[in-house]
Each structure stands twice: as C-alpha cells, then as structure tokens.
Amino acid sequence: IKEKGEYPQRIGIVVWATDTMRTGGDDIAYLFWLMGLRPVWSDRGGAVTGLEVIPAQELGRPRIDMTLRISGLFRDTFPGLVHMIDKGVEMIAGLDESEDVNFLAAHLKQDLLEKMKTGMPEHEARDQALIRIFGDPPGNHGCGVGEVVHASAWKDRKDIADVYTTWGAHAYGRKFRGEKVPKLF
C-alpha cells in the first residue's frame, strides 16, 4: 500500500508443511485473513471446523485473490486443509460483491469468460477458474530445481523457471488430485 497506494489484487504464497506445523498454521491464517475469511472453532479441542466470511464492511479492505504453491509434504500431511482452503476460495468467489471489493470474484469472472470463449463448457470453465492451489506431481516431493542445479543441467534462469513451473503446475482441491495444468499455474 505504501509503494503503490492500493492493495494488491493477487498474492502468491508458498506453503510448506513444516512451517505450518511449527507455527500452528500462521501461514494459513494469513491466507484466510487476506481472503476475508475467519475460522469457525469447535467447542472442544480448539479445532477449526469450518470457515465463515468476514463481511466486507467489517473487513474494511478488498478481498485479495490468493494463489498457493504447496509442498508435496503439505499435500500429503494436510489433505483436509487443502480441501478447506479450496472451499474458502469457492465461498469468496461466490459472494455478490463489487469487483473493487472482491478481487478473487472479479478475476474468476474474467477467467471464466476467457475459457468459455474457447468453447469450454461453463461448469468445466468454472472449476478450472477456481483453481488456486498448485503443487508437486502426485507422489512426488520437491520443486525439481535442486536436482537441476546440483547436476548443472541448466544454462540460464529460464531453464530453472521452466523446471519449477513444470513441477509446480499440478492442481489440488476437492475436485483436483494433481492434474497437470501448466497454463493455469
């Protein structure tokens, strides 16, 4: 805000299982807060049982469109949390709010229209436009970059970026189990 005079419309965050474990989920709390969600706590045990939307007036700022790059260990350790994040994305995307209040919903509409113009059925276009969680290929861990660097199998930064994109372009959520979607990533 200090640099640009406005809130960012999109933020990408890398989420690692070990950081989530060590902090008790601070990174996920930040993610939900930026989207304008708060946890619903169980009466016993302090477990989060769901999410609720923070009203726009109470939030006092726009809802940020968040994209996650999760580690393979996060995917394997916290599948319920992956589903909860995906559900939160859908909750925010479904709100009837103006584009200047809800950046996620605004971007969803744009993405949906672009996909439908290519002939994609609306339900499939919506499912793809809602993807905000990306990670390693199913059954794999790491972003592939360390292996490429260690083997000196790269010439310039683009080679490293291509490996990162190839390994990280797998969609996760309630409807996706690691399908490769490099254009979306």
Side-chain angles (χ1 to χ4, degrees):
I1 294 171
K2 287 179 184 178
E3 287 179 20
K4 307 281 183 178
E6 60 189 11
Y7 284 92
Q9 290 198 17
R10 292 182 167 115
I11 295 178
I13 181 174
V14 176
V15 181
W16 294 47
T18 52
D19 290 343
T20 301
M21 287 181 223
R22 186 181 72 241
T23 66
D26 283 359
D27 46 2
I28 306 306
Y30 298 143
L31 160 81
F32 287 145
W33 179 253
L34 288 166
M35 290 172 52
L37 294 164
R38 69 170 54 106
V40 174
W41 297 91
S42 70
D43 292 338
R44 291 182 245 143
V48 175
T49 60
L51 299 169
E52 81 179 13
V53 173
I54 300 169
Q57 189 172 4
E58 181 183 334
L59 190 59
R61 58 157 175 81
R63 299 181 192 284
I64 310 299
D65 188 352
M66 300 295 298
T67 298
L68 281 74
R69 172 38 170 107
I70 61 172
S71 69
L73 185 59
F74 186 92
R75 172 202 64 216
D76 297 344
T77 306
F78 299 113
L81 193 48
V82 169
H83 290 182
M84 185 180 287
I85 294 165
D86 185 48
K87 175 66 177 167
V89 168
E90 188 173 17
M91 290 169 68
I92 297 302
L95 295 174
D96 185 18
E97 296 175 330
S98 67
E99 291 185 0
D100 61 330
V101 169
N102 189 335
F103 296 146
L104 190 146
H107 297 148
L108 174 74
K109 289 175 194 172
Q110 294 167 359
D111 294 345
L112 186 61
L113 289 174
E114 285 177 23
K115 290 175 188 335
M116 289 174 59
K117 284 180 185 177
T118 68
M120 187 180 287
E122 184 176 353
H123 70 281
E124 185 180 337
R126 181 171 175 76
D127 287 348
Q128 285 198 9
L130 279 168
I131 296 171
R132 294 295 187 280
I133 305 169
F134 298 90
D136 305 332
N140 290 282
H141 296 89
C143 62
V145 171
E147 291 81 357
V148 171
V149 171
H150 182 71
S152 298
W154 61 284
K155 292 184 177 140
D156 56 36
R157 281 193 221 178
K158 183 182 179 320
D159 295 336
I160 295 172
D162 289 345
V163 169
Y164 183 83
T165 302
T166 298
W167 273 77
H170 299 270
Y172 289 95
R174 292 165 301 152
K175 294 181 181 178
F176 294 93
R177 302 284 186 267
E179 291 81 354
K180 191 171 183 177
V181 288
K183 288 184 181 182
L184 296 178
F185 183 56

